[in-house]
Amino acid sequence: IVILGVLAAFALPRFTDLSSDANTSVCKGGLGAVKSSAGIAHAKWLAQGSTGVVNFEGTDYTMTAGGYPSSDDMAAIAQLSGYSTNSNSGVLTVSVPETGTATDTFTYNESTATTEATVLCGKL
């Protein structure tokens, strides 16, 4: 019984805070979706001869001057329907709805004619 008590004292705290790990993992999943979607959209834009519109699953999305999706379209392209998103002035802010803390938030900055799109993390 003493051995089990000692093991429980060391093992239990390790598994008690799984929600923050889960929220971080969900946020990293969204981050990966945005990064890969931006890369795929840019590659498709280049393959089509750098035209202003790229079509995904029957929907046309307008690309920015740098050839990446706009911040307004990125949530739809990356299929972030389960996330809290806010697009304002070329910046898409994405967070895990339950927390909204800096540790579970990232931003997508759309490209311009001279810069590529960037994805900036909170404290992931």
Side-chain angles (χ1 to χ4, degrees), residues 75 80-81 83-87 92-95:
L80 298 176
S81 59
Y83 293 81
S84 176
T85 60
N86 181 24
S87 179
L92 173 68
T93 303
V94 182
S95 61

Side-chain angles (χ1 to χ4, degrees), residues 32-116:
V34 167
K35 284 183 173 182
S36 62
S37 296
I40 290 169
H42 185 68
K44 193 168 186 178
W45 178 78
L46 289 172
Q48 292 177 346
S50 304
T51 61
V53 175
V54 171
N55 186 291
F56 284 104
E57 297 180 359
T59 303
D60 288 336
Y61 296 101
T62 302
M63 305 298 276
T64 62
Y68 288 90
S70 69
S71 61
D72 295 333
D73 291 337
M74 181 48 81
I77 293 172
Q79 299 178 355
L80 298 176
S81 59
Y83 293 81
S84 176
T85 60
N86 181 24
S87 179
N88 188 12
S89 300
V91 177
L92 173 68
T93 303
V94 182
S95 61
V96 178
E98 289 79 23
T99 64
T101 64
T103 56
D104 298 323
T105 302
F106 64 92
T107 59
Y108 168 81
N109 299 306
E110 65 184 41
S111 64
T112 65
T114 58
T115 62
E116 290 186 4

Side-chain angles (χ1 to χ4, degrees), residues 8 11-21:
L12 188 59
R14 184 165 174 87
F15 298 107
T16 56
D17 190 19
L18 297 178
S19 65
S20 66
D21 291 342

